Amino acid sequence: MPSLDQVTDLLTANKAKYLSSLDLLSGFFQIEVQEADRDQTTFASQKQCYRFRRLNFGLKSAPSIFCHAMATMFRKCLCKHTIYYMDDLLTSSSGFEPMIANLRELFETCREHNIKLNAAKCEFFKKSVVFLGYKISGKGIEIEPEKMAAISQLKPPNNQIQSSNLCWGMQTTSVNW
């Protein structure tokens, strides 16, 4: 996962005026499992055995394989103007024309590798976008107001057990940036 520093560096380096976020359609399933490795994905039903032709979520190594594939496919774009986390891409630019160039490069990469995007989740030429649960803009990074509202509406704990439960819940659900 990109750190907040990496997101900030991207925004600063590109003097981010425009942001676009792209979401891959069924990300893992777009990565083909090599023929030689398909036997390792075998599973059985009551009647017969099956094996995956596409990367599936149940494989222990699937996230690292997918991240490696993303880094390999989008290597030309990464660090210049784009960062990614799993199947989400964020690109920034200082103006309209540079954003068109960034998007063209991303779309050409998607076409070259037969990667499909989820149009319903893609956003283009925005002043701010939500990426990994944060509101990202040229001004910086903020926590989404809806998430803050949920926390501010929590009732304060009345005893030690409620306090411990609250602390445990906050610790286990926090994002480790």
Side-chain angles (χ1 to χ4, degrees):
M1 177 161 29
S3 68
L4 286 178
D5 289 339
Q6 289 172 310
V7 175
T8 304
D9 290 348
L10 176 74
L11 298 173
T12 304
N14 292 319
K15 299 179 180 85
K17 184 176 177 184
Y18 291 106
L19 298 162
S20 294
S21 65
L22 293 86
D23 184 78
L24 274 61
L25 183 68
S26 302
F28 280 33
F29 293 125
Q30 294 197 51
I31 307 299
E32 189 172 357
V33 175
Q34 294 178 4
E35 181 67 39
D37 297 328
R38 290 182 185 169
D39 286 340
Q40 296 175 34
T41 69
T42 301
F43 64 98
S45 72
Q46 291 179 351
K47 296 186 179 184
Q48 66 187 75
C49 291
Y50 299 93
R51 61 187 193 149
F52 282 93
R53 293 180 182 174
R54 300 281 175 180
L55 189 61
N56 73 332
F57 298 98
L59 298 175
K60 187 175 183 178
S61 59
S64 61
I65 292 169
F66 184 78
C67 286
H68 181 264
M70 289 287 287
T72 302
M73 288 185 287
F74 292 99
R75 69 182 171 277
K76 294 184 289 185
C77 313
L78 297 177
C79 298
K80 286 195 308 187
H81 55 72
T82 302
I83 59 173
Y84 76 96
Y85 176 71
M86 298 305 278
D87 65 343
D88 296 316
L89 294 158
L90 175 69
T91 187
S92 69
S93 72
S94 59
F96 188 81
E97 293 300 324
M99 179 56 78
I100 289 177
N102 293 355
L103 290 171
R104 181 174 287 124
E105 187 173 18
L106 287 168
F107 293 152
E108 286 172 358
T109 301
C110 288
R111 187 177 304 119
E112 176 184 337
H113 296 284
N114 200 28
I115 297 295
K116 308 287 186 270
L117 298 173
N118 183 353
K121 287 184 157 183
C122 293
E123 296 184 287
F124 304 103
F125 299 96
K126 300 287 186 177
K127 299 290 183 189
S128 68
V129 296
V130 175
F131 186 72
L132 303 178
Y134 288 86
K135 182 180 175 187
I136 311 288
S137 70
K139 297 176 187 173
I141 301 168
E142 303 170 20
I143 295 174
E144 278 188 272
E146 297 84 32
K147 294 194 186 222
M148 286 302 296
I151 293 171
S152 65
Q153 293 170 1
L154 283 174
K155 294 179 183 170
N158 293 323
N159 57 43
Q160 187 175 1
I161 292 173
Q162 290 177 352
S163 180
S164 291
N165 288 343
L166 177 65
C167 289
W168 180 83
M170 294 271 199
Q171 183 179 16
T172 59
T173 59
S174 67
V175 176
N176 186 11
W177 285 85

